[in-house]
Amino acid sequence: MKQYLLSVYQPGGGSPGPEVLGPIARNLEILEQEMQDAGAWVFSGGLHSPDTATVVRVKDGDTLMTDGPYAEGKEHLGGFTVIRAPDLDAALEWGRRLALAIGLLPIEVRPFQGEVDG
């Protein structure tokens, strides 16, 4: 089976309050259990805000490190889930269910390169 990355993109700025995040967390817990029961879930995680990022690059043989995200934007990667699915249609269905569980944010579904046995 191929592996797919389900990326959660969120707008910049502060996070919603517990009245919004509480139900989302419960929805995600249920969905993750459904993914595990189906043998689709590999792992997932939420990320700290982009201002905690450090960008590492090499220029003229020197390693340079800068604080902050690689690119400024209105949206940033807020979290992700890696799944196993037999095909893109199945992965898109998990992406649809993730979008429904969160309810507010877009989900990008992308296959990893090459076939990955899991």
Side-chain angles (χ1 to χ4, degrees), residues 39-98:
W41 186 83
V42 177
F43 70 96
S44 62
L47 300 172
H48 286 281
S49 66
D51 64 343
T52 65
T54 302
V55 178
V56 181
R57 71 183 82 202
V58 175
K59 184 175 180 181
D60 298 326
D62 292 327
T63 302
L64 307 172
M65 293 186 207
T66 54
D67 292 337
Y70 173 71
E72 294 294 328
K74 293 182 181 179
E75 292 183 331
H76 61 272
L77 182 62
F80 62 91
T81 299
V82 176
I83 62 166
R84 282 185 221 79
D87 55 36
L88 179 59
D89 288 338
L92 290 172
E93 176 58 20
W94 286 117
R96 182 189 73 79
R97 293 180 65 188
L98 182 56

Side-chain angles (χ1 to χ4, degrees), residues 103-118:
L104 301 171
L105 304 173
I107 307 301
E108 179 181 87
V109 178
R110 292 178 68 182
F112 283 89
Q113 292 182 357
E115 294 291 325
V116 178
D117 291 325

